[in-house]
Amino acid sequence: MNVPNPDMPTLSYHTACLLQESLKCKDLFAGKSIHGRIVKSGLHFSVFLMNNLMNFYSKTGSFSYAHSVFDEMPVKTIHSWNTLLSAYSKQGKMAEANEIFNRIPNPDSVSWSTLIVGYNQMGRFKSAIKVFSEMIKERVTPSEYTMTSVLASCAAIEALYIGRKVHSFVVKFGLSNFVSVTNSLLNMYAKSGDPMMTMVIFDRMGYRDTSSLNVMVSLHMQYGQVDLAREKFERMNERDIVTWNSMIAGYNQHGYDLDALATFGNMLRDSLLFPDKFTFINALSACANLEMLKVGKQIHACIVSMQFDINGPVGNALISMYAKSGGVHIAQKIVEHAGMSNLDVIAFTSLLDGYIKLGDIEPARQIFDSLRDRDVVAWTAMIVGYLQNGLNTDALKLFRLMVRDGPKPNSFTLAAMLSVSSSFTSLSHGKQIHAIAIRTGQASSVSVNNALITMYARTGSIKYARLVFSRIHRFRDTVSWTSMIMALAQHGFGEEALELFENLLAAGVKPDHITYVGVLSACTHVGLVEQGRRYYNMMKNVHKIEPTLSHYSLMVDLLGRAGLVQEAYDFIKKMPIEPDVITWGSLLSSCKVYKNVELGRVAAERLLHIDPENSGAYSALANLYAVCGKWEDAAKTRKLMKDGGVKKEQGISWVQIKNKVHVFGADDVLHEQKDEVYKKISKIWEDIKKMGFVPDTAAVMHDLEEEVKEQMLRHHSEKLAIAFALMNTPQNTTLRIMKNLRVCNDCHSAIKFISKLSGREIILSIVEGKMQYLFDENGKRCLDDFARNGVVWTLPSRGFECYNGTK
DNA sequence: CTAGGGTTAG
């Protein structure tokens, strides 16, 4: 304890008080003049006053003054050292802080705690924990401050195991009675995924303060138990700013944005608290989600009238709110007003996003190009922006640029790119993205894995979809289950899909409306009418999900495919919303199968009423007539279509077999015995053209492939391959050619082929089958070259692996 | 002289 100079007790105390007052109003000038008076009156020998002065300088950010005061002190106490230490750790200068710490003769618990806090503030939580363990090793008794700090480190990195150890020290040093420590324990268990322990501790607490309840509120919010959080909140008799903010943030995160705004209003009305930046950020985010421009403007007015600093996060939230709720021009004005140098990437990304939402790609791209330090988010926003506006090629181009020059893609980027692969049904592209996910360490991300399941299923590799799903068994969310159910349903494993759905229910996962799309389509594929009805009712009554058009269409499909065509039609008539093309199309195709001309005609008429140029409806109807032997009606329908100006006939090949007309859609070609179908098709190829129809794309593809394969076998495959590579061949074609080269056992051409490609393709993965022969000496050299250029190889036969040149 | 609970953009 520092006792002031006994000769001048009053003067010392009064000076210290003056310093404290100066500190309160951050008056550096006043502090400096007091400093001068201290020196003049010879008070600078008082360690007490000097420590106070150091504290003043440190808190006002004048670190160099603090340091010089320290240097001039003839006698230094542990307080002096700790104040200096705190000055450095506040600046984030941890290296210097450590140096000072090592020079302290007898560091006490405050010194150690200061170091831990310093690391925490720098986000270096592991180092903070390390400091704590060294402190214990040195047999220094921790204080309640030490515990709260180190528990915060554990909470931040969700280190449950370490947190438990720290808990044991809390007990050992008898610190359990501090509410602050117990609150920190609560928070640690809540954040590290041990809700049970959190509840146990909370129940056992003899005294709970507002903070304790705050932790519980945010625990409930974390687990999506919004109603429980609301209950706790309403029962609290004292609410501080954190309480209100937790509720507003929690509501906002779970889509209860109206509640978030209502809570914000209640806070302004019922509490004497002033909103802080978190309040504003979350309230603005709620406005943005609801696209409530007017409310957003009111909050903006509130911010302005409070003279609140709109630099940093609040300004970003404002810009984002305007950009999202149709006020891009206001957002633009704020951005212009603030000036380039005062804004960060976040502000510009929000603005960019606003333009994308309007479909204005050009200004968005201009913002993107003008950004100097673009981060992953900016890149992703631009890429997703292209995707949302249907500009897949631009998205792909930008993604390639990103992989080459930009920051590492994150799970958002990869999930988006995987959905492109799914919509392109390009397995090769999808596998490249998978390879990048592995290489950038994102392969464990739930959203990436969910997108992978869909991608593999859509590109036909149900095997890999299964593999991915089984690998994430510990981290499955609703989307994972849904994706897998959809995947199985698409591949005709209806029973398995339903089994999986039952597992989902047993696991206590909540299905959403898309899950039910998967479930109902599984029933459709297997023809389980009664099961389908049951699940449909379960959706409505148990899970309280209002059916959407997809669900209605699936029910129509389910009934129709089972031959209950009339019932399907009755179902449509009872629908509370307008049926769409898919609904009628589904009924129409059922009518085709069950040869119900009357209903089929109705369905086709209604369908064409919605979409008069729907060639599919015409050909389905024509086919229905043909199947029923009504050749004249079939021909009439064709004529009707041509008269209606419908020219597109892609996806349909008319094949004459045994004087009967069959329609081969792309699906049939893919699923039936390929060779058989292709043989038939090629025989009547010319006939189709003569009849004036456009041949099916899949058939064309196959033809091309066959031709290439034959020529490769017959001629010099290498030359041909390279010629293809130099042409602007679409990538899935090039990979097909690769496959053919493999069939010809021509690995050297394959390697050369790839080497020509790699100039164009940033990432190329060669997959499927056994590629061991690429691993001879030539192949290895080749692989090393590619690895250096960022080319990744995946070899699914050995699990998913990545070749990056290091191994 | 040191703590702890609420954190924005995709």
Side-chain angles (χ1 to χ4, degrees), chain A residues 326-509:
Chain A
V328 185
H329 301 294
I330 306 173
Q332 176 80 46
K333 268 185 194 157
I334 298 175
V335 167
E336 277 165 15
H337 185 75
M340 193 72 181
S341 51
N342 287 327
L343 289 173
D344 55 6
V345 213
I346 298 173
F348 285 105
T349 309
S350 303
L351 189 62
L352 184 155
D353 222 47
Y355 281 114
I356 282 169
K357 208 163 173 276
L358 290 176
D360 291 342
I361 294 294
E362 271 313 306
R365 182 64 198 237
Q366 271 172 26
I367 294 167
F368 180 78
D369 287 335
S370 71
L371 277 176
R372 267 172 293 109
D373 25 42
R374 295 176 277 216
D375 67 350
V376 212
V377 183
W379 282 87
T380 308
M382 196 63 225
I383 291 172
V384 173
Y386 278 131
L387 296 179
Q388 280 168 355
N389 287 281
L391 300 162
N392 286 334
T393 322
D394 293 288
L396 208 65
K397 260 189 211 160
L398 196 62
F399 178 69
R400 288 178 177 174
L401 206 66
M402 180 180 181
V403 172
R404 207 181 63 199
D405 303 326
K408 261 192 191 175
N410 64 15
S411 58
F412 279 91
T413 331
L414 296 169
M417 291 313 294
L418 282 168
S419 78
V420 180
S421 321
S422 303
S423 63
F424 280 174
T425 55
S426 163
L427 179 60
S428 57
H429 181 240
K431 281 189 170 170
Q432 290 167 40
I433 309 288
H434 191 173
I436 297 171
I438 295 165
R439 199 178 51 165
T440 54
Q442 300 283 359
S444 56
S445 148
V446 183
S447 54
V448 167
N449 280 303
N450 295 344
L452 277 172
I453 293 172
T454 306
M455 184 277 290
Y456 280 120
R458 288 282 287 277
T459 54
S461 304
I462 186 73
K463 202 173 98 191
Y464 293 139
R466 278 210 174 94
L467 188 66
V468 173
F469 183 71
S470 69
R471 283 203 179 177
I472 54 165
H473 61 277
R474 185 77 187 78
F475 310 98
R476 286 169 193 166
D477 63 5
T478 307
V479 183
S480 324
W481 289 91
T482 306
S483 308
M484 197 60 215
I485 289 171
M486 291 263 206
L488 290 169
Q490 273 162 15
H491 284 261
F493 302 103
E495 286 101 342
E496 209 184 324
L498 295 179
E499 210 173 286
L500 201 63
F501 179 67
E502 291 296 338
N503 289 344
L504 169 148
L505 294 176
V509 180

Side-chain angles (χ1 to χ4, degrees), chain A residues 588-597 600 618-635 637 654-655 657-664 668:
Chain A
L588 177 57
S589 70
S590 299
C591 291
K592 191 178 79 183
V593 174
Y594 291 98
K595 301 183 182 174
N596 189 326
V597 179
Y618 279 111
S619 48
L621 186 61
N623 193 45
L624 170 60
Y625 285 132
V627 173
C628 298
K630 304 193 168 189
W631 303 104
E632 293 80 12
D633 286 329
T637 309
W654 283 41
V655 181
I657 304 165
K658 290 180 191 169
N659 285 334
K660 284 204 172 182
V661 179
H662 282 266
V663 175
F664 276 98
D668 301 314

Side-chain angles (χ1 to χ4, degrees), chain A residues 781-797:
Chain A
R781 215 177 307 137
C782 227
L783 284 172
D784 283 335
D785 277 351
F786 296 139
R788 243 172 271 130
N789 294 319
V791 178
V792 175
W793 301 71
T794 57
L795 294 167
S797 52

Side-chain angles (χ1 to χ4, degrees), chain A residues 160 164 167 185-186 188-190 194-204:
Chain A
L160 184 58
R164 284 193 184 125
H167 190 170
L185 276 172
L186 276 182
M188 184 275 294
Y189 283 115
D194 194 343
M196 293 308 285
M197 194 60 183
T198 319
M199 302 292 267
V200 168
I201 295 175
F202 181 78
D203 286 341
R204 282 192 194 159

Side-chain angles (χ1 to χ4, degrees), chain A residues 281-299:
Chain A
I281 289 167
N282 290 313
L284 285 169
S285 164
C287 288
N289 290 341
L290 294 166
E291 303 189 11
M292 288 178 130
L293 187 57
K294 277 190 182 166
V295 184
K297 277 181 178 169
Q298 284 177 37
I299 297 175

